[in-house]
Amino acid sequence: LTGPYWSQLRALAALGFGQRPEAAAALQRHGGDRWGALRELQQPRLRPFLQRLWRPPGALDFECPDQQALVRRILATLDVASWGRALLVASLGRELGL
């Protein structure tokens, strides 16, 4: 395989973007700029993370089976001073059915 963007395609494949048609199209749209193509290729992978990150604080899922994940989410979104207090919030939320 040869072409004007071969080295950029290999670099993107090394970063985990081995789907050559998608990577080649992204490189084409960005005029061979590897970083522009990388930003474009990462957007679909980052979307679920960003949706979870920017979910409003009231959207805590107290039915989450992973209690540690819930406590980390409480620490990240609410003004609680410690892990113990976040654990208390999680326990109360589950008990009250919030």
Side-chain angles (χ1 to χ4, degrees), residues 13-86:
L15 292 171
F17 297 97
Q19 305 89 357
R20 292 203 189 276
E22 293 175 16
L27 280 168
Q28 186 71 33
R29 283 189 291 275
H30 292 276
D33 178 32
R34 183 183 333 164
W35 297 111
L38 184 60
R39 278 192 308 273
E40 179 182 326
L41 292 168
Q42 286 177 330
Q43 283 179 351
R45 291 184 182 186
L46 288 174
R47 191 169 294 119
F49 167 75
L50 292 173
Q51 287 173 343
R52 285 191 312 271
L53 181 67
W54 296 113
R55 187 180 315 157
L60 292 171
D61 179 16
F62 288 102
E63 299 302 319
C64 175
D66 185 356
Q67 185 169 4
Q68 286 190 2
L70 175 60
V71 172
R72 285 193 302 272
R73 178 97 175 125
I74 290 168
L75 283 168
T77 58
L78 300 177
D79 188 22
V80 293
S82 67
W83 181 271
R85 289 186 182 175

